[in-house]
């Protein structure tokens, strides 16, 4: 009997985020083979060797790495974490343009060796770089998306769970829009077991929970900077979030995640812009945008967030 088809996943970038994605994917048994690509050969070789020495505990998954994209051939999913860091005094547009130049090398090589893959973009600014990846790849829009506000949503649910005494996986709540300062928490549909969040809060003795909305969202937005101040970078939250999304692709679970995708034609948006909204994710990537019902204030904030991302996207030289 022939062996079943192997599932191969590639991570581009062996930095803190890339390696957090790698270990999260391996420990969740999402692939039989993991390839890592990076231009820093010594660092890459050290990371690959370190992982290889632990594969006896990782269902014997094969781990390989190279600065040559040929190592990524025939991947089902390719995760891009590579990119430049913002310099002191550098504008967001300048940072984006430097990352565009990096992606002009990365993306064509990814598609060359894995033309049928789904690309998941983590590199920041997440929404803009997802748009850039789609433009450079030539792939269907469904097969190129970013982690976007999935991490913001995870942070949001964690903070709500801590306040309300409920496991975060049992909280139905999303953060949409830009993965950044203009993100929008969707309070109007937030719920626990189908019970509106305010009603639940009242049922456990928390009055005027709406007065806490602003502070909770501020914590979500500022949490990354808090972590960076404490340890120098963020990696575990996004690594685990990425693995959750990759799991939806590999298992074709069609589960709903807040990912950065083309929203042109949805929510009354006319521009060719990528931001995060809840989407059903499966084997072919984004299967469908799940149309949230937004309050008037949420819709206004969301459209402002869209415009902020579009303002940067349209200024890029591709």
């Amino acid at each position: 009997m022939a062996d079943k088809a192997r599932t191969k996943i590639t991570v581009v970038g062996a930095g803190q985020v890339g390696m957090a994605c790698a270990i999260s994917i391996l420990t969740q048994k999402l692939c039989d083979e993991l390839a890592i690509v990076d231009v820093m050969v010594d660092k890459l070789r050290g990371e690959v060797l370190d992982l290889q020495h632990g594969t006896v505990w990782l269902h014997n998954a094969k781990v390989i790495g190279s600065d040559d994209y040929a190592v990524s051939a025939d991947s089902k999913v390719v995760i891009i974490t590579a990119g430049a860091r913002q310099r002191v005094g550098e504008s967001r547009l300048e940072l984006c343009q430097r990352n565009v130049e990096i992606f002009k090398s990365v993306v064509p090589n990814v598609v060359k060796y894995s033309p049928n893959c789904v690309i998941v973009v983590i590199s920041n600014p997440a929404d803009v770089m997802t748009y850039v990846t789609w433009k450079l790849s030539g792939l269907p829009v469904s097969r190129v998306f970013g982690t976007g506000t999935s991490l913001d949503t995870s942070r949001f649910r964690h903070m709500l769970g801590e306040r309300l005494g409920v496991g975060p996986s049992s909280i139905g709540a999303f953060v949409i829009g830009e993965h950044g300062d203009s993100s929008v928490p969707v309070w109007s549909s937030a719920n626990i077991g189908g019970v509106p969040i305010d009603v639940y809060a009242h049922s456990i003795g928390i009055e005027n929970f709406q007065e806490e909305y602003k502070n909770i969202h501020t914590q979500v937005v500022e949490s990354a900077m808090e972590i960076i101040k404490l340890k120098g970078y963020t990696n575990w939250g996004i690594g685990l979030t990425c693995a959750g999304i990759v799991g939806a692709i590999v298992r074709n679970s069609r589960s709903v995640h807040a990912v950065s995708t083309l929203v042109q034609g949805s929510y009354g948006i006319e521009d060719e812009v990528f931001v995060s909204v809840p989407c059903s994710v499966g084997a072919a990537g984004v299967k469908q945008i799940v149309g949230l019902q937004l309050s008037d204030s949420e819709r206004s904030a969301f459209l402002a967030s869209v415009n902020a991302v579009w303002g940067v996207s349209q200024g890029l030289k591709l």
Side-chain angles (χ1 to χ4, degrees):
M1 180 181 293
D3 291 341
K4 69 180 181 66
R6 294 176 64 82
T7 300
K8 181 175 180 178
I9 294 173
T10 289
V11 176
V12 179
Q16 297 290 354
V17 170
M19 296 315 298
C21 292
I23 195 63
S24 298
I25 287 165
L26 287 169
T27 54
Q28 293 185 34
K29 301 180 180 180
L30 297 177
C31 65
D32 305 294
E33 183 173 350
L34 179 76
I36 307 171
V37 180
D38 200 289
V39 295
M40 299 181 66
V41 179
D42 288 345
K43 168 75 159 60
L44 173 63
R45 178 162 171 73
E47 295 287 9
V48 170
L49 282 172
D50 212 2
L51 283 176
Q52 287 174 337
H53 297 165
T55 52
V56 66
W57 309 111
L58 296 170
H59 61 281
N60 300 314
K62 183 178 181 180
V63 180
I64 55 178
S66 176
D67 60 343
D68 186 339
Y69 281 84
V71 77
S72 69
D74 301 319
S75 293
K76 182 176 183 62
V77 183
V78 176
I79 301 150
I80 302 179
T81 71
R85 292 186 178 182
Q86 193 163 12
R87 297 167 177 163
V88 176
E90 184 177 42
S91 72
R92 193 175 182 212
L93 181 57
E94 288 169 338
L95 171 63
C96 287
Q97 192 60 56
R98 282 202 297 131
N99 275 332
V100 166
E101 299 310 311
I102 293 171
F103 272 45
K104 284 180 180 178
S105 171
V106 171
V107 177
N109 275 303
V110 166
V111 176
K112 175 182 176 181
Y113 289 102
S114 299
N116 298 313
C117 74
V118 174
I119 300 178
V120 179
V121 181
I122 297 179
S123 308
N124 280 318
D127 306 290
V128 176
M129 296 317 298
T130 304
Y131 167 77
V132 168
T133 301
W134 174 56
K135 283 293 192 180
L136 294 175
S137 71
L139 295 179
V141 70
S142 62
R143 284 169 47 202
V144 180
F145 63 90
T147 49
T149 60
S150 286
L151 178 55
D152 308 68
T153 294
S154 180
R155 289 168 173 158
F156 187 39
R157 291 176 178 177
H158 165 75
M159 290 169 188
L160 288 173
E162 289 291 292
R163 180 68 179 98
L164 300 173
V166 177
S169 63
S170 295
I171 296 174
F174 289 96
V175 176
I176 62 173
E178 176 197 18
H179 174 52
D181 293 346
S182 71
S183 65
V184 181
V186 185
W187 291 102
S188 62
S189 60
N191 70 89
I192 296 173
V195 178
I197 204 104
D198 290 329
V199 174
Y200 184 86
H202 179 75
S203 74
I204 60 171
I206 300 176
E207 303 294 339
N208 303 314
F209 185 55
Q210 291 186 6
E211 295 178 2
E212 300 184 34
Y213 282 7
K214 183 177 181 180
N215 182 54
I216 290 172
H217 182 233
T218 298
Q219 289 181 58
V220 171
V221 172
E222 295 181 352
S223 58
M225 191 54 63
E226 179 184 4
I227 295 168
I228 290 169
K229 287 179 180 177
L230 291 169
K231 60 177 270 189
Y233 52 86
T234 66
N235 64 330
W236 297 120
I238 187 57
L240 290 164
T241 297
C242 174
I245 295 169
V246 170
I249 299 168
V250 171
R251 297 169 179 144
N252 193 29
S253 67
R254 295 160 294 171
S255 50
V256 176
H257 302 265
V259 295
S260 187
T261 189
L262 181 67
V263 291
Q264 186 178 40
S266 299
Y267 297 94
I269 298 165
E270 298 180 356
D271 296 319
E272 193 178 65
V273 61
F274 278 62
V275 294
S276 289
V277 290
C279 296
S280 171
V281 177
V286 171
K287 181 178 175 62
Q288 183 176 338
I289 290 176
V290 178
L292 279 175
Q293 296 297 309
L294 304 176
S295 68
D296 289 344
S297 61
E298 288 166 348
R299 180 173 294 277
S300 294
F302 175 61
L303 293 178
S305 186
V306 169
N307 288 334
V309 175
W310 175 239
V312 175
S313 299
Q314 66 178 336
L316 295 173
K317 298 176 182 178
L318 300 177

